[in-house]
Amino acid sequence: MFVTLSYHIINRTISDKTAISEEAFEQQLAYLREHGYHTLSLAQAIADIDGIQEAPPCSLLLTFDDGYADNAQIALPLLQAYDMRATLFVITGYIGQSNRWNTRACYDAQHMTWDELRHWHERGGDIGGHSHLHYCMTRLRSDELQETVERNKRLLEQETGITPRAFAYPYGRFNQAVIDVVRQHYELAFATDGGAWNASANRYVINRLSISPTWTIEDFAGRLQASCLYDNPLESAN
């Protein structure tokens, strides 16, 4: 099995619960490498879930939600430097635009362009769906729900040439109607609840550990170990 980590923005100038600094992100990658963690591709994660090929010990799936430009400009070079990879869940309705669609945000952040998204994929990053307009999916009519999932996936396929295999629920909100629609288009889906995923869990409600900007590296290590399913947890940083 594996633990999934959830990131959004990598930008030291933004003060928000979804943003961490470049320095904190690199420190976390360094910790993962030094302590023997292995980052999975999305295909490897799916193979593990399907029982085709067991993930190596100390495996993680790193994920980014929304598709912000700093993921390509800042996170990707750091991931490459540490020989790690991640999966990006993309909102297609705001490609190349600012985050002003998010009326709750007190900051400005730019979304990736299609070229940046293709660059992400060409450099080994995986891509998944995150709906077309990031509406709370539990509030949508059935036709709206189908549209936001289908259009999101169709645009990703057309613009990147890949077939996305995984989905992340906007705001982490879902119900059975949402799961039923996502199941028609994707092989697995991710929520935002903390903790590890295990074989008895629903593959359309995979837990993720959301990374907080308030954590020290000791906090990161401790919370990661608490989420792990391994019999012999790694020694935390002190």
Side-chain angles (χ1 to χ4, degrees), residues 6-7 15 23 35 47 54 62 68 70 93-94 105 109-110 120 124 132 134 139 141 173 180 183 197-198 201 205 212:
S6 175
Y7 295 91
S15 178
E23 293 79 9
H35 290 77
E54 185 176 357
L62 306 187
Y68 291 108
D70 61 68
Y94 301 104
Q110 197 72 13
W120 170 276
H132 184 59
H134 206 274
R139 302 182 66 185
R141 301 191 309 265
R173 301 298 298 274
D180 289 344
R183 191 192 303 270
W197 181 90
N198 59 58
V205 190
S212 169

Side-chain angles (χ1 to χ4, degrees), residues 1-18:
M1 293 295 100
F2 55 87
V3 174
T4 305
L5 307 186
S6 175
Y7 295 91
H8 286 76
I9 297 171
I10 310 297
N11 188 328
R12 72 173 69 86
T13 68
I14 292 177
S15 178
D16 188 82
K17 67 179 182 179
T18 65

Side-chain angles (χ1 to χ4, degrees), residues 229-233:
L229 297 174
Y230 316 126
D231 293 332
N232 298 302

Side-chain angles (χ1 to χ4, degrees), residues 45-102:
I46 293 173
D48 180 74
I49 292 172
D50 288 341
I52 297 173
Q53 184 174 0
E54 185 176 357
C58 304
S59 287
L60 302 173
L61 184 67
L62 306 187
T63 67
F64 290 83
D65 282 6
D66 301 338
Y68 291 108
D70 61 68
N71 297 173
Q73 298 165 3
I74 298 172
L76 181 58
L78 288 172
L79 288 164
Q80 291 181 298
Y82 285 87
D83 194 26
M84 295 182 182
R85 60 189 304 161
T87 298
L88 184 70
F89 293 112
V90 181
I91 310 169
T92 46
Y94 301 104
I95 294 290
Q97 300 181 38
S98 78
N99 70 320
R100 289 297 180 97
W101 58 270
N102 184 357

Side-chain angles (χ1 to χ4, degrees), residues 1 15 19 28 34 39 41 64 74 78 83 106 111 144 153 171 181 184 187-188 207 215 226 235 238:
M1 293 295 100
S15 178
Q28 290 169 10
E34 291 167 6
T39 58
S41 68
F64 290 83
I74 298 172
L78 288 172
D83 194 26
C106 295
H111 289 268
E144 294 172 329
K153 187 177 183 182
Y171 307 110
V181 171
Q184 297 171 22
E187 298 174 54
L188 67 164
N207 293 342
W215 292 354
E235 181 183 356
N238 290 302

Side-chain angles (χ1 to χ4, degrees), residues 129-189:
H130 198 41
S131 82
H132 184 59
L133 294 174
H134 206 274
Y135 293 143
C136 179
M137 294 172 69
T138 57
R139 302 182 66 185
L140 300 181
R141 301 191 309 265
S142 59
D143 60 325
E144 294 172 329
L145 186 54
Q146 285 283 355
E147 166 66 13
T148 196
V149 175
E150 290 177 356
R151 188 174 183 185
N152 180 232
K153 187 177 183 182
R154 182 172 66 251
L155 287 171
L156 290 174
E157 290 174 335
Q158 290 174 354
E159 296 292 340
T160 67
I162 68 169
T163 299
R165 303 177 68 184
F167 187 86
Y169 303 110
Y171 307 110
R173 301 298 298 274
F174 60 90
N175 55 24
Q176 192 58 51
V178 173
I179 292 174
D180 289 344
V181 171
V182 170
R183 191 192 303 270
Q184 297 171 22
H185 303 279
Y186 291 97
E187 298 174 54
L188 67 164

